[in-house]
Amino acid sequence: IDLNLSNELNLVTVSRVCKEKGFERMIPLVKSLKEKGINFKWFVIGGNYYKEEFERIRTLYEEFKDNFEWFGFIDNPHNIVKQCDYSVLLSDDETWGLVLTEAMILGVPCITSDFEVAYEQITDKKNGIILSRTDLEGYKNRIQDILNNKERYKQSVSNFKYNTYHN
């Protein structure tokens, strides 16, 4: 899939559209990017299984429609993920953030919310960025980190291998 990429920052979220996935947390991050004049695109891939939630969320994004590209379910989203600077998962909670692991296998660093298991996958400021689920105002303080360290984070996951073997 050929994407209409930004020349500055490209984000991707692969998730079903439901309240638990934290789509509302995208708004303060987007507002912070806009306030700083960042040219960005955010690609959202996932089934709209929860039509009421999708309609509510979509209404929130109307103000930013030039920055978002919404896809429905895509059987293999890896081609899109590989083209982006960060994979973003801002969930309330996860038992395991599989999309984080998949993104790192593809060499794409992650931005995630601070659910407990995220700390088992991401080391903040090393192989990605962990944002607070509650301090949404603090997102403004992380924008420069997101922009300035894309290549460093990308390098940190460039040789990532997920080992399923445990002693």
Side-chain angles (χ1 to χ4, degrees):
I1 296 177
D2 282 332
L3 300 178
N4 181 20
L5 294 169
S6 161
N7 63 353
E8 198 165 0
L9 181 65
N10 295 286
L11 306 170
V12 62
T13 293
V14 180
S15 172
R16 72 182 188 280
V17 178
C18 66
K19 187 157 181 50
E20 297 82 17
K21 295 300 183 176
F23 280 85
E24 289 181 351
R25 288 188 194 97
M26 290 178 171
I27 298 298
L29 189 53
V30 167
K31 285 183 177 178
S32 297
L33 291 166
K34 290 288 231 183
E35 285 171 12
K36 295 203 181 267
I38 308 306
N39 180 7
F40 73 96
K41 287 292 283 194
W42 199 323
F43 304 95
V44 181
I45 303 166
N48 306 327
Y49 306 119
Y50 303 90
K51 291 196 184 303
E52 287 177 21
E53 179 67 6
F54 180 73
E55 286 305 315
R56 188 182 69 78
I57 295 297
R58 191 172 65 178
T59 302
L60 287 173
Y61 292 91
E62 284 302 312
E63 179 182 349
F64 310 108
K65 63 181 170 229
D66 293 340
N67 297 95
F68 281 93
E69 191 163 334
W70 292 81
F71 296 92
F73 175 79
I74 295 177
D75 192 38
N76 183 346
H78 297 147
N79 180 45
I80 295 173
V81 174
K82 286 191 294 192
Q83 295 179 61
C84 292
D85 298 307
Y86 293 98
S87 177
V88 183
L89 178 65
L90 299 175
S91 295
D92 295 341
D93 197 15
E94 295 283 339
T95 53
W96 184 260
L98 185 58
V99 296
L100 300 177
T101 301
E102 290 174 336
M104 289 189 294
I105 288 170
L106 295 170
V108 178
C110 301
I111 298 172
T112 185
S113 53
D114 60 352
F115 54 87
E116 191 172 329
V117 176
Y119 291 96
E120 294 180 31
Q121 296 175 270
I122 304 296
T123 302
D124 192 35
K125 296 184 179 183
K126 185 171 190 309
N127 63 342
I129 296 170
I130 298 178
L131 299 174
S132 171
R133 284 172 291 169
T134 55
D135 179 19
L136 304 184
E137 190 65 26
Y139 288 14
K140 290 178 185 177
N141 303 328
R142 300 302 300 272
I143 299 300
Q144 284 313 120
D145 184 30
I146 290 169
L147 289 173
N148 295 344
N149 295 304
K150 287 188 302 190
E151 291 308 313
R152 181 169 59 93
Y153 294 142
K154 193 170 199 64
Q155 185 60 41
S156 73
V157 296
S158 64
N159 296 313
F160 179 83
K161 303 270 188 284
Y162 182 67
N163 184 355
T164 58
Y165 175 76
H166 299 284
N167 289 333

